[in-house]
Amino acid sequence: MAVTWPQPEFSQPTWLWALLVLPALVVVFRRSLVDLPWRQKFLSLITRSAIVVLLVLAMSGLTLWIGSVDVFVIFAVDQSLSVDQDRAAEVSAEFIERATRDASPERFAVLPFARHPATFQSGQATAAAAAAPPVSASDQTSGQTAWRQATSLQSAIELSAASVPPGLVPHIVLLSDGNETDGDVLSAATSSVRVSTVPLPTRDEPEIQVSAVNVPTQVAEGEPFSVEVLVDANHDDQVVVEVFSGDFRVAAEPQSVSTGENRFTFTQQVQQPTQFTARIRSANDGTAGFSDTLIDNNMASGLVFTAGRPRVLMIQNQPEPARSLVWAMQEEGIELEVRPAAGLPTSLSELQNFDVLILSNIPANEMTTPQMEMIRAYVSELGGGFLMLGGDESFGLGGYYRTVIEEVLPVRCDFEKEKEKPGLGMVLIIDKSGSMGGQKIELAKEAARAAVELLGDKDQIGVIAFDGAPYWVSEMKSGAQKGAILDRIASIEAGGGTTLYPAMEEAFQTLQATTARLKHVIILTDGYSTPGDFDGITQNMTAARITISTVGIGDADQDLLQRIAQAGSGRYYFSSDASSIPQIFAKETIAAGRSAVREEPFLPMLVRATPVLDGIDFDEAPFLLGYVVTGTKATSEVILTTETGEPLLAWWRYGLGMSAAFTSDASSQWAAEWLTWPGFNKFWAQVIRHCMRPNETRGFAMQVEHHGRFSRIVIDAVDGNRRFLNGADTELVLVDPQLKSQTVTIPQTGPGRYETVVETSEPGVWQLQVIQKIEQQTVYQQSRGLVVGYPEELRIRDVNKELLMSVAAVTGGTFQPVPEAVFEAGPQERATSAVPLRPWLLSLAALLFVVDVAIRRLDLSGGFRRVFRGGDSNLSSS
């Protein structure tokens, strides 16, 4: 090992002052009364002085820095999908084999990497095995594929530099095609660690890809525009280019593609925001495919927004009652589309096509939890409008208590029951068999807790859990004892069989003895019960005016549960999603109390004047025939109330959007007389427009450009006098495909121009909402979308020699080095390693301490005489 002269260093040099004790040892030696020969005392002085010096040096942290020019090499081998796996493996294996032929295994390591570095392979492994690809190039289904769908040269260099053993000169040899798709390698490349680069070949299999779909950011409704499809190929071929507008194919043309970039243009028109997708396929009707290797890059998309008539989506299971509102909105210039609950969008991009979402008499259990989260993000993050109408399956009656939707609403879905309302006696029968374990039993307990919390003090509730036999979790107690009931519910644990009949018998006997005027049973199970006289017990309960509702989940006996609910004058629910149980219980609890709906004529009362309702004379408004009782939230604006003071129309701003509640309806059930009222059209048009997000585009232009992992947002804005809008507070709300949002401040970069770059690496549809404010007043608010397609790693690319050469130049490395020279240190390269001497110094001091004791305790005078006399005789003889 080539080593330069060691350099001493003291980590605590103040201890060196302790060496001043050495003169004191000399004084003690001269004045000592110990009866020893002076030579023996002198030897003890030398030993003790050495001990003091060793102890002082140890306490002062004496360290030797040993310099070395020996090189430790890390071969970072790119195994991402952009390299040709077979040829790259051969090049890597040959290079590493030649470089390490005469090297010690402790002097190098191999690091395969792609999206992130994999596990180090030490020099003990053969070079060929270390450089071999983890999976074959054609394997697109293995778990390694996702790992290989990106290239992070930065991560590879950072991990390599941090893994070099101390005392050796680091040298990283980066074997890659240089096509970085993740990170910034030049930010990690510094002159402190030398990086040499070896280019690896990129894929050369026949490949055709859809590189991009270019569409205008925004067009007018019905305005013709071009959809430009970019197709790249590394060979000449014949394909069919298909274009889809949403889910509908609008074009399919055979095209000849040549090596390089090919552009194809299609003219389209849209009436609403639309996602355009282009796809390539075989030109031979599927009988023979074109020459292509990867199929994941054969499709790309783009989003175009429109400025036209406002669009409203109304979700209502019965479309017939909504026709009056549809016609009214058409006359007011608003396009209202009615869909059943099954038509509720499942993606935020589809919901973004509408300015307002209306839920009309839709129960919560007909929506999934992701759909509720989507609605929340649509209102809060993207400024969409939301309106819920009343009905026997809306608000609390729809099971919205403690849901995400209730959080968005300006009213509460629970309420205080009036004292004169009849008390409710209710028994919850919950299956606790083994199949209810895990999430099911936890959701069942949550549902039971929600039911308890919705009861009034005059109500009574009991909870029975059953497996092979029933037992009372909580016997019948008043609603005023909620705390004790909730504690008992928490103790339920799953286990055992399924025997429902005895539990129904227990509930029947108990409810018969209660004095409540309304009596109700809710049964929850996920399996098949052992036989019992279910028809008989149901008839007995019905005769005693006890209603029964049933909830089946998973592999429940649906026929039995449906029969019990029908005979018991209750409702039957079935769901494959256990997460809907709490909403079903909340809905049943409120419905059983029969106090959430007031079906009696009343006149709306205007309690707060608002410009939104200007021009509407409520003194001339006819009666409404019913409404759902709700509770007000502290910060909401209650505009209309019933004659008894309950909210009829309320709204508030939720995040960036507006949410409103109208607790009556807009159909012939409760608003039959309103349908012929002259103010009907104007009332609903102004309420709906109030809920809409602002969509003013005059003087505001926004462009979104996606490149690699990032997107650039550019905004140009002018005011009403066509002057540059400067000094505006501009924010971007970015919602990713998983509905996670972040807010980014967009700085001004020029007159009227604001721009920023954000990371948008996850594939899917991203939603963007831009808000500009002047002195806290919103002047512009715009929504846009962005489709991030397949990973950049799947694009056709040549070797990026420029980047590889830049990395080598910045770090002092070599582009395409000679393999045999990678273990040679550069002229200025030198590594140092610290060798702490404290353990050695303390050990030597301890050894000398033993010697000193021996010197002072043993009689060495005879030995000294023999030594010195022998010396004298030799001198005499000479």
Side-chain angles (χ1 to χ4, degrees):
M1 177 180 288
V3 178
T4 58
W5 288 105
Q7 299 294 323
E9 182 180 276
F10 296 96
S11 59
Q12 294 177 299
T14 53
W15 280 95
L16 295 176
W17 289 99
L19 292 176
L20 295 177
V21 76
L22 293 177
L25 293 179
V26 176
V27 173
V28 171
F29 166 74
R30 296 176 61 89
R31 297 180 178 275
S32 175
L33 300 178
V34 177
D35 186 18
L36 287 175
W38 74 269
R39 294 182 181 87
Q40 194 168 347
K41 288 195 295 182
F42 181 75
L43 183 59
S44 176
L45 171 66
I46 298 300
T47 304
R48 290 189 173 187
S49 299
I51 292 173
V52 170
V53 171
L54 291 172
L55 291 175
V56 170
L57 292 179
M59 298 304 295
S60 63
L62 177 60
T63 302
L64 290 183
W65 285 92
I66 301 176
S68 170
V69 292
D70 284 344
V71 177
F72 185 90
V73 180
I74 294 182
F75 299 94
V77 183
D78 188 349
Q79 294 188 343
S80 62
L81 286 175
S82 62
V83 301
D84 187 309
Q85 295 298 309
D86 295 331
R87 291 192 298 150
E90 293 178 4
V91 172
S92 302
E94 181 182 359
F95 186 94
I96 297 174
E97 178 65 32
R98 289 177 55 188
T100 61
R101 186 171 298 157
D102 299 324
S104 169
E106 293 77 20
R107 295 275 302 281
F108 71 93
V110 179
L111 177 65
F113 73 92
R115 180 184 296 273
H116 49 75
T119 305
F120 269 104
Q121 300 188 30
S122 69
Q124 300 290 346
T126 64
V135 290
S136 65
S138 61
D139 181 6
Q140 297 300 306
T141 60
S142 98
Q144 296 273 5
T145 301
W147 175 76
R148 297 169 58 207
Q149 285 187 348
T151 302
S152 179
L153 304 181
Q154 176 184 355
S155 298
I157 289 180
E158 289 175 343
L159 180 59
S160 298
S163 304
V164 176
L168 297 175
V169 177
H171 184 195
I172 300 172
V173 178
L174 180 65
L175 298 95
S176 172
D177 62 356
N179 289 315
E180 183 178 39
T181 60
D182 192 3
D184 181 8
V185 64
L186 291 178
S187 68
T190 64
S191 58
S192 59
V193 178
R194 181 164 51 112
V195 181
S196 296
T197 54
V198 178
L200 295 181
T202 56
R203 306 176 67 97
D204 64 352
E205 302 98 329
E207 186 60 47
I208 304 177
Q209 68 181 25
V210 180
S211 301
V213 175
N214 296 328
V215 293
T217 304
Q218 181 163 329
V219 298
E221 183 177 340
E223 173 190 359
F225 63 92
S226 296
V227 177
E228 185 181 53
V229 180
L230 271 62
V231 178
D232 280 298
N234 59 6
H235 66 285
D236 297 343
D237 213 325
Q238 298 289 323
V239 300
V240 172
V241 180
E242 297 179 317
V243 178
F244 294 82
S245 175
D247 295 329
F248 301 97
R249 188 175 70 175
V250 294
E253 297 181 2
Q255 299 287 350
S256 297
V257 295
S258 56
T259 303
E261 184 180 81
N262 302 265
R263 294 175 179 264
F264 306 105
T265 303
F266 304 84
T267 301
Q268 292 294 309
Q269 293 176 312
V270 294
Q271 305 295 324
Q272 64 186 38
T274 304
Q275 177 174 324
F276 282 90
T277 301
R279 184 179 69 184
I280 56 174
R281 62 171 175 82
S282 167
N284 298 309
D285 298 326
T287 57
F290 53 86
S291 298
D292 191 33
T293 303
L294 300 175
I295 62 173
D296 291 345
N297 58 10
N298 290 353
M299 185 166 58
S301 300
L303 279 173
V304 59
F305 281 70
T306 59
R309 298 178 65 185
R311 300 187 71 239
V312 178
L313 175 62
M314 183 174 184
I315 304 298
Q316 180 168 304
N317 284 329
Q318 300 296 328
E320 186 65 29
R323 288 189 177 180
S324 297
L325 187 60
V326 172
W327 293 335
M329 293 304 96
Q330 284 179 347
E331 293 180 2
E332 296 292 332
I334 297 175
E335 183 181 345
L336 180 65
E337 180 180 341
V338 181
R339 299 181 186 177
L344 180 66
T346 57
S347 67
L348 195 56
S349 60
E350 183 183 358
L351 189 55
Q352 273 283 73
N353 295 337
F354 302 94
D355 299 294
V356 177
L357 171 66
I358 300 176
L359 294 184
S360 177
N361 212 29
I362 298 295
N365 60 288
E366 292 195 19
M367 288 186 285
T368 64
T369 300
Q371 283 178 314
M372 291 188 185
E373 289 289 348
M374 173 193 68
I375 293 173
R376 185 207 61 76
Y378 167 74
V379 179
S380 176
E381 314 297 345
L382 302 178
F386 178 67
L387 172 63
M388 181 177 284
L389 302 181
D392 57 4
E393 294 197 286
S394 292
F395 300 104
L397 288 169
Y400 286 99
Y401 177 63
R402 281 191 169 183
T403 64
V404 174
I405 298 299
E406 186 191 36
E407 178 187 325
V408 175
L409 285 170
V411 295
R412 300 195 327 270
C413 292
D414 62 331
F415 58 93
E416 294 295 330
K417 294 177 62 177
E418 295 182 7
K419 294 182 180 180
E420 65 271 15
K421 290 297 179 181
L424 169 66
M426 186 164 65
V427 174
L428 308 180
I429 301 177
I430 298 175
D431 184 353
K432 64 170 288 288
S433 61
S435 60
M436 285 288 293
Q439 183 192 30
K440 287 183 183 178
I441 197 65
E442 294 303 319
L443 289 169
K445 291 193 285 187
E446 180 184 339
R449 287 191 290 265
V452 171
E453 291 174 353
L454 285 169
L455 296 178
D457 291 348
K458 290 177 59 178
D459 300 324
Q460 300 176 61
I461 187 170
V463 182
I464 298 175
F466 71 92
D467 43 29
Y471 79 96
W472 283 94
V473 175
S474 175
E475 296 184 353
M476 294 295 290
K477 288 184 174 62
S478 165
Q481 298 177 273
K482 289 184 173 67
I485 302 172
L486 295 176
D487 289 342
R488 294 296 302 155
I489 290 173
S491 67
I492 302 175
E493 294 184 0
T498 306
T499 305
L500 173 60
Y501 178 79
M504 294 181 67
E505 275 281 1
E506 287 282 341
F508 173 51
Q509 297 298 332
T510 301
L511 284 174
Q512 269 192 316
T514 63
T515 58
R517 292 178 57 190
L518 303 175
K519 301 177 182 181
H520 189 60
V521 174
I522 304 177
I523 299 172
L524 168 67
T525 181
D526 74 337
Y528 285 76
S529 172
T530 56
D533 186 12
F534 295 106
D535 293 335
I537 188 64
T538 303
Q539 290 175 4
N540 292 338
M541 294 174 106
T542 304
R545 295 187 176 181
I546 301 172
T547 55
I548 311 169
S549 291
T550 57
V551 182
I553 58 174
D555 187 27
D557 188 346
Q558 298 188 49
D559 292 338
L560 173 63
L561 295 178
Q562 194 165 7
R563 192 169 74 246
I564 291 174
Q566 186 175 0
S569 301
R571 290 156 293 276
Y572 165 67
Y573 304 89
F574 177 78
S575 176
S576 58
D577 182 8
S579 63
S580 64
I581 297 174
Q583 286 77 52
I584 294 174
F585 270 52
K587 173 183 176 180
E588 273 298 300
T589 303
I590 293 178
R594 299 183 185 176
S595 54
V597 173
R598 304 287 172 81
E599 291 191 292
E600 54 191 24
F602 70 94
L603 290 172
M605 310 296 293
L606 181 65
V607 296
R608 178 177 298 195
T610 172
V612 177
L613 300 182
D614 282 351
I616 300 175
D617 186 3
F618 284 98
D619 292 335
E620 299 296 328
F623 285 96
L624 289 167
L625 305 180
Y627 65 96
V628 182
V629 180
T630 59
T632 58
K633 290 184 178 178
T635 57
S636 65
E637 294 183 70
V638 180
I639 309 301
L640 298 175
T641 67
T642 67
E643 294 171 335
T644 54
E646 283 100 351
L648 174 63
L649 174 64
W651 57 55
W652 71 352
R653 184 157 294 281
Y654 183 79
L656 298 178
M658 182 67 67
S659 172
F662 187 75
T663 58
S664 188
D665 67 5
S667 66
S668 58
Q669 181 180 1
W670 290 339
E673 298 186 29
W674 269 40
L675 299 181
T676 57
W677 174 42
F680 180 80
N681 293 17
K682 190 172 186 179
F683 171 80
W684 282 114
Q686 292 179 192
V687 169
I688 290 174
R689 289 184 186 278
H690 177 63
C691 293
M692 289 181 183
R693 61 182 154 209
N695 197 31
E696 179 61 54
T697 59
R698 289 176 297 177
F700 182 95
M702 180 167 65
Q703 294 181 344
V704 181
E705 303 172 355
H706 179 70
H707 299 286
R709 298 171 50 246
F710 299 93
S711 293
R712 180 169 174 260
I713 292 91
V714 180
I715 298 166
D716 292 295
V718 296
D719 60 19
N721 297 319
R722 311 304 298 173
R723 294 177 299 189
F724 290 121
L725 184 67
N726 296 320
D729 295 326
T730 306
E731 285 188 341
L732 166 69
V733 178
L734 190 66
V735 182
D736 68 16
Q738 306 303 319
L739 302 184
K740 297 178 182 178
S741 64
Q742 59 175 309
T743 301
V744 179
T745 299
I746 304 181
Q748 184 172 359
T749 58
R753 170 160 288 195
Y754 303 79
E755 56 185 309
T756 189
V757 175
V758 293
E759 183 175 355
T760 53
S761 56
E762 184 176 351
V765 180
W766 293 68
Q767 302 294 337
L768 301 86
Q769 184 80 5
V770 173
I771 307 99
Q772 281 197 315
K773 295 182 179 180
I774 295 289
E775 297 179 352
Q776 302 302 315
Q777 296 296 319
T778 300
V779 291
Y780 291 118
Q781 183 170 325
Q782 278 291 300
S783 296
R784 288 291 183 270
L786 168 69
V787 181
V788 177
Y790 53 84
E792 291 293 308
E793 198 70 24
L794 303 184
R795 295 187 180 275
I796 300 173
R797 292 182 174 183
D798 293 327
V799 177
N800 191 347
K801 292 185 178 180
E802 292 76 10
L803 179 63
L804 296 177
M805 294 174 69
S806 297
V807 171
V810 168
T811 62
T814 305
F815 177 68
Q816 290 185 311
V818 176
E820 292 78 6
V822 297
F823 284 92
E824 297 177 1
Q828 303 298 324
E829 287 186 318
R830 178 174 174 269
T832 56
S833 59
V835 180
L837 297 183
R838 176 174 293 182
W840 298 98
L841 295 173
L842 293 176
S843 299
L844 185 56
L847 178 62
L848 290 180
F849 178 77
V850 175
V851 173
D852 180 59
V853 171
I855 292 173
R856 299 181 61 81
R857 296 296 182 185
L858 300 178
D859 182 6
L860 304 178
S861 57
F864 280 111
R865 292 190 190 97
R866 285 192 295 271
V867 170
F868 286 100
R869 284 176 182 173
D872 292 342
S873 63
N874 291 335
L875 290 172
S876 300
S877 63
S878 63

